[in-house]
Amino acid sequence: MAPKKVYSICGMCSVRCPIQVEVENDDVVFIQGNPHDSGMAGGLCPRGAAGVALLRDPERPQYPLIRVGKRGEGKWRRATYDEALDYVAEKLSAIKKQHGAKSILWSDRGGPFADLHKAFMRGIGSPNYCNHDASCARNVMHAAKSVMGYGRKGVAYDLRNSKHIVLQTRNIFEAINVKEVNGALDSLKNGGKLTVIDIRANVSSTKANNFFMIRPGTDYAFNLAVINCLLSNNWYNKKFASEYIHDLDVLADFVAPYTPEWAEGETGIPAAKLVAFAKELKAAAPAVLWHPGWMVSRYTNSFYVCRSIYIINALLGSIGAKGGLPLINKPKDFGRKGLKAFSDLFPKPEDKRVDGAGWKLKHIDGGPGLINKSIEAIETGDPYPIKAYIAHRHDPLHALPDPERQREILDKLDLLVSTTFSWSDTAWFADVVLPLSTYLERESPLATKNGLKPYFFRRARAVTPRYETRSEWEILGGIAKRMGFPELSFETAEDMWNYQLTDTGMSIEDFDATGEVPVTDTAKYRSFEKLSFPTPSGKIEMHCQKLEDMGFESLPAYTPPSEVPEGAFRLTFGRCALHTQGHTLNNPMLNEQMPINPVWINSSKAREMGIADGDEVYLVNGEYRSKTIAYVTEFIHPEAVFVVHGFGHRLPPESRSSQGIADQELMIGGLDKIDHAGGGVALQEHFIRIEKSSAS
Ligand SMILES: Nc1nc2c(c(=O)[nH]1)N[C@H]1C(S)=C(S)[C@@H](COP(=O)(O)OP(=O)(O)OC[C@H]3O[C@@H](n4cnc5c(=O)[nH]c(N)nc54)[C@H](O)[C@@H]3O)O[C@H]1N2
Ligand SMILES: Nc1nc2c(c(=O)[nH]1)N[C@H]1C(S)=C(S)[C@@H](COP(=O)(O)OP(=O)(O)OC[C@H]3O[C@@H](n4cnc5c(=O)[nH]c(N)nc54)[C@H](O)[C@@H]3O)O[C@H]1N2
Ligand code: SF4
Ligand SMILES: [Mo]
């Protein structure tokens, strides 16, 4: 008999690509990109292909655990799922009674299923729902809103139709989203140009027409000079600007001193090359896509770099344009009703957020808030105490800086719960571990993908859970029922889906054939006559009143990055194609391919220190030191060293993941280093030293 095909959603990273899972005898025999989804073209990334190894891995959490020793000591008692849910619900109820619902904090990884999580927090009555984004794309989000009124996902990034893609702090071919990779490849195949601005030569740069190795932390200087160049040469789109840009004169005055020659001194990129590049942009406009970045929690001015990128896109007329940043569509734009939200089941909690987002910090979006600020409140009790924390699909000890300091803070909690399908530092430090079924063994809520061609999609259960693990809807529903808000508790996944499908005209069976229900057959681009922007002026704004009201400038003068101390390096980090953050290191297939994260060191610097490629070295910050091997290359800026983030797990249940270094551990004092205007944690404001190991 041919294997059964289940259409579902990958869970090996937060991109959630559509997949086709072939199942035989309740086991997964093959996974590929959903062939019915043209964006996937049947493809997957290496991590998606390694999902089978996750499913079969006995080194993942297999059953609920309740801590019996000290936090982090690793002494647990095995509990049944019902016992663990009873335990969590009783503790949460007691904390709620004593300190109020608002003393309960939640964090997750955002994304299309987060509505269920938000509803859960509303059911409890706490405003303190956070996601991870303060250490990821918050600066991009706030930058987009400050310029266009729309968030970063209010526009699509139309890679496929672009004539010139610019990647600045964005590595599309290693920091993967399969549809984006396919789109970018199509653009290149059709003669589109690619420019990469990075501190090192990554895989994306190997496909680029222009590669600019920029001095770390000087991107704002480069971008101001590009703006200067576009304006002073009249290479911007005047028609677009006069119709859609509110206050261009403010910008022109501001950038006047920032010439390409000036920028060269800051960035190291020759002025003539910058000018030639700006001219190429003019030639390709408006089908230019200067990507605003994704992981830009890097510097204290990253928010302003992102703002400058949206401004450049606006000057080129790319915002709203095919091949640029066209406005996205939602099902309602095609007269379709959206999925019924779980959050609608409960009123919005009245208390103010503990992190100040949306009230004390009016320029910060209250939606997912700032998790780093919320964690600080555990320590300070300001503006009120936090007593319980549920880290759901989130490993703050890995995802935020300075885990040693975080452990001191988290240890003040009355309850720390981790729900996860893999071991993480946070799970190991938790009071209760609620193991989640892998994405191949669980259903998720139905979800919507907005875009040029919006669609609804479903993650279906491909095989039965291997261990005593559960789906999110079962875990949260189980706690909700026990805490007295059973509206969020569904008997079956079908009951949950049927709730979401209320009045949409769709049925569960509509998802059976391909896993997706499209809203339209063809991509819809809004015509320029229909562009409108939800800003105070209705146009794209150079000057943002919301920022100014909070004491931030809209167009601050350039200030150079902090000096790298003599003999030290700026610590930088990023992704590789073979791992996802901190949660795939112990995956047998992926660990075999990449068991360690070598540190990239510029060859001239390495020579001075007597370090050869492959030598064992220590990365040192104060008392803290961590060992890896050196990757000596001329393709990284000499001021920086680079490591792939996510390594350095040293957890007893995991036998494969012990090598490499954890960059966040070197970021001592990093919880307090933030980009105040954009809200992102500034993770690249740390300097380390390198010592050769005596073994080398
Ligand atoms: N120093 C430094 N810090 C960083 C970064 C960096 O490069 N360097 N990167 C930043 C970025 S971009 C991000 S996005 C964050 C990522 O931060 P995290 O989201 O914390 O990272 P992950 O390791 O992907 O996932 C954390 C845990 O969630 C579990 N998990 C995965 N999928 C699910 C799910 O669907 N449900 C549940 N309940 N659990 C799940 C995993 O098993 C893992 O234990 O880290 C940020 N922090
Ligand atoms: N394979 C894989 N894919 C992923 C993920 C994963 O873990 N693995 N994670 C997903 C997530 S959560 C995110 S947020 C995205 C992140 O996607 P990206 O932001 O594209 O990925 P990164 O590798 O973090 O950073 C991109 C580039 O920024 C460069 N860079 C560092 N400092 C500077 C600087 O000062 N200036 C310039 N111009 N460049 C600099 C780095 O060298 C790197 O090449 O990837 C997503 N996709
Ligand atoms: S990018 Fe790779 S790991 Fe992430 S969802 Fe897609 S296939 Fe899975
Ligand atoms: Mo991220």
Side-chain angles (χ1 to χ4, degrees):
M1 209 171 75
K4 184 173 79 169
K5 287 179 182 156
V6 180
Y7 297 104
S8 192
I9 299 296
C10 182
M12 292 298 284
C13 85
S14 51
V15 168
R16 296 161 180 113
C17 293
I19 51 172
Q20 173 181 292
V21 187
E22 290 179 39
V23 177
E24 231 169 34
N25 302 323
D26 199 27
D27 199 9
V28 174
V29 291
F30 192 60
I31 312 175
Q32 66 177 87
N34 187 340
H36 300 286
D37 188 310
S38 60
M40 294 299 292
L44 271 190
C45 87
R47 301 160 300 148
V52 185
L54 168 68
L55 175 69
R56 295 176 188 160
D57 187 2
E59 293 190 6
R60 61 182 163 105
Q62 294 188 7
Y63 38 77
L65 291 168
I66 299 176
R67 176 172 68 85
V68 290
K70 283 199 210 125
R71 282 202 171 108
E73 201 182 25
K75 291 197 179 139
W76 305 99
R77 98 181 143 80
R78 178 175 177 165
T80 65
Y81 230 109
D82 282 336
E83 210 182 331
L85 295 180
D86 285 345
Y87 183 92
V88 171
E90 271 169 32
K91 286 260 180 194
L92 287 176
S93 299
I95 290 168
K96 179 173 168 177
K97 201 163 161 213
Q98 199 185 344
H99 302 281
K102 65 183 178 186
S103 68
I104 300 171
L105 170 68
W106 168 285
S107 70
D108 63 25
R109 182 70 167 276
F113 311 123
D115 171 40
L116 186 70
H117 312 162
K118 290 176 193 160
F120 178 75
M121 288 304 282
R122 281 192 176 192
I124 287 181
S126 171
N128 292 317
Y129 164 85
C130 288
N131 71 20
H132 71 296
D133 211 35
S135 63
C136 181
R138 248 339 49 195
N139 289 326
V140 195
M141 182 62 148
H142 287 131
K145 284 198 166 172
S146 74
V147 176
M148 306 184 295
Y150 291 112
R152 75 182 173 108
K153 292 184 180 168
V155 287
Y157 300 90
D158 193 8
L159 293 154
R160 172 160 290 121
N161 296 303
S162 184
K163 292 193 187 140
H164 197 145
I165 298 169
V166 184
L167 302 179
Q168 180 177 31
T169 326
R170 176 76 183 94
N171 183 8
I172 277 192
F173 293 107
E174 286 177 279
I176 297 176
N177 168 327
V178 171
K179 290 189 186 187
E180 288 188 359
V181 171
N182 289 338
L185 287 174
D186 282 350
S187 160
L188 296 181
K189 214 163 41 194
N190 294 329
K193 288 199 156 139
L194 174 66
T195 294
V196 172
I197 308 158
D198 209 286
I199 56 154
R200 63 184 181 114
N202 55 26
V203 169
S204 303
S205 72
T206 64
K207 300 182 191 302
N209 303 76
N210 304 312
F211 169 54
F212 300 128
M213 195 194 283
I214 195 164
R215 185 176 151 229
T218 65
D219 291 86
Y220 191 47
F222 184 84
N223 295 5
L224 292 180
V226 170
I227 297 174
N228 172 304
C229 207
L230 294 177
L231 290 175
S232 60
N233 293 301
N234 279 322
W235 289 345
Y236 68 103
N237 185 327
K238 288 201 206 59
K239 185 165 181 297
F240 183 89
S242 68
E243 278 174 42
Y244 297 110
I245 301 184
H246 179 237
D247 36 15
L248 192 61
D249 45 336
V250 182
L251 182 71
D253 290 345
F254 168 67
V255 294
Y258 298 119
T259 61
E261 291 71 27
W262 164 82
E264 178 172 342
E266 286 298 317
T267 64
I269 298 165
K273 291 206 168 163
L274 185 149
V275 176
F277 162 61
K279 201 169 185 182
E280 284 177 18
L281 295 182
K282 182 213 170 346
V288 173
L289 196 178
W290 190 316
H291 200 287
W294 191 350
M295 197 303 166
V296 288
S297 291
R298 295 186 188 265
Y299 298 96
T300 48
N301 77 342
S302 290
F303 166 75
Y304 288 109
V305 178
C306 297
R307 264 180 63 82
S308 66
I309 296 176
Y310 281 109
I311 289 173
I312 293 171
N313 281 306
L315 290 175
L316 294 166
S318 306
I319 296 180
K322 186 171 181 175
L325 285 66
L327 300 195
I328 55 116
N329 307 305
K330 296 184 174 171
K332 73 171 170 31
D333 296 316
F334 296 86
R336 294 283 292 267
K337 210 169 158 45
L339 298 170
K340 189 171 159 71
F342 299 113
S343 311
D344 292 347
L345 286 167
F346 311 101
K348 191 166 180 248
E350 281 170 11
D351 286 309
K352 296 211 179 328
R353 297 184 59 95
V354 77
D355 53 18
W359 61 282
K360 207 158 50 173
L361 306 172
K362 288 206 177 63
H363 61 303
I364 301 291
D365 187 356
L370 300 174
I371 181 60
N372 50 318
K373 289 254 167 220
S374 303
I375 287 178
E376 269 171 27
I378 298 171
E379 182 171 54
T380 60
D382 178 28
Y384 52 79
I386 291 291
K387 294 290 177 187
Y389 174 21
I390 306 167
H392 181 99
R393 204 237 179 285
H394 194 204
D395 180 7
L397 289 177
H398 222 82
L400 288 171
D402 205 345
E404 204 172 306
R405 169 140 166 66
Q406 281 191 68
R407 281 192 183 90
E408 281 168 23
I409 299 176
L410 296 181
D411 206 23
K412 296 191 170 21
L413 290 165
D414 291 347
L415 180 70
L416 175 61
V417 179
S418 167
T419 55
T420 177
F421 59 67
S422 68
W423 275 109
S424 69
D425 288 357
T426 307
W428 194 249
F429 196 71
D431 304 325
V432 185
V433 179
L434 297 176
L436 185 74
S437 307
T438 66
Y439 66 100
L440 296 163
E441 305 161 296
R442 74 178 195 264
E443 309 90 352
S444 294
L446 300 174
T448 313
K449 183 81 186 163
N450 297 325
L452 294 168
K453 276 169 71 173
Y455 59 90
F456 300 101
F457 63 94
R458 177 177 75 177
R459 172 181 280 147
R461 196 180 282 231
V463 295
T464 45
R466 297 304 186 244
Y467 303 113
E468 222 179 298
T469 62
R470 290 197 185 168
S471 298
E472 276 150 333
W473 65 269
E474 293 171 299
I475 298 172
L476 299 189
I479 300 174
K481 192 161 75 183
R482 288 167 172 82
M483 286 185 76
F485 52 103
E487 301 89 322
L488 208 61
S489 173
F490 299 96
E491 280 298 310
T492 62
E494 285 73 19
D495 286 352
M496 168 178 68
W497 291 335
N498 277 327
Y499 167 85
Q500 293 182 283
L501 292 170
T502 313
D503 298 332
T504 59
M506 290 184 287
S507 69
I508 296 175
E509 291 71 36
D510 293 346
F511 291 83
D512 289 347
T514 67
E516 295 179 5
V517 177
V519 169
T520 169
D521 291 338
T522 47
K524 178 178 159 182
Y525 293 88
R526 310 251 181 111
S527 73
F528 272 98
E529 287 67 44
K530 293 205 179 117
L531 291 187
S532 70
F533 298 92
T535 53
S537 64
K539 295 188 175 186
I540 293 168
E541 296 186 339
M542 305 296 106
H543 175 276
C544 173
Q545 196 55 44
K546 206 175 194 175
L547 282 175
E548 309 258 339
D549 288 347
M550 289 298 297
F552 298 105
E553 288 176 278
S554 301
L555 299 166
Y558 173 80
T559 48
S562 37
E563 275 303 307
V564 182
E566 181 66 29
F569 297 89
R570 186 182 290 277
L571 178 62
T572 74
F573 55 78
R575 326 279 138 232
C576 64
L578 286 163
H579 283 291
T580 301
Q581 307 288 359
H583 81 75
T584 55
L585 287 187
N586 204 50
N587 180 298
M589 281 180 173
L590 297 171
N591 186 272
E592 186 184 296
Q593 296 292 317
M594 184 172 173
I596 189 166
N597 56 345
V599 56
W600 291 45
I601 311 174
N602 178 278
S603 34
S604 63
K605 291 280 180 179
R607 216 174 301 121
E608 282 168 24
M609 291 185 294
I611 293 170
D613 192 42
D615 277 356
E616 262 189 6
V617 290
Y618 285 99
L619 270 61
V620 183
N621 187 359
E623 297 291 295
Y624 182 83
R625 55 179 42 229
S626 189
K627 192 168 68 176
T628 186
I629 51 173
Y631 171 58
V632 175
T633 169
E634 63 192 284
F635 293 112
I636 179 163
H637 195 281
E639 283 186 12
V641 290
F642 172 91
V643 289
V644 169
H645 171 66
F647 283 72
H649 275 220
R650 285 169 188 88
L651 297 172
E654 298 186 332
S655 67
R656 312 171 198 107
S657 63
S658 62
Q659 295 187 71
I661 65 153
D663 57 333
Q664 76 279 4
E665 290 179 1
L666 287 152
M667 299 173 182
I668 296 158
L671 272 185
D672 305 323
K673 291 193 178 167
I674 51 179
D675 180 328
H676 289 280
V681 186
L683 296 167
Q684 280 189 187
E685 302 282 8
H686 296 271
F687 302 98
I688 57 103
R689 290 174 195 280
I690 296 197
E691 287 173 15
K692 197 168 154 175
S693 149
S694 51
S696 283

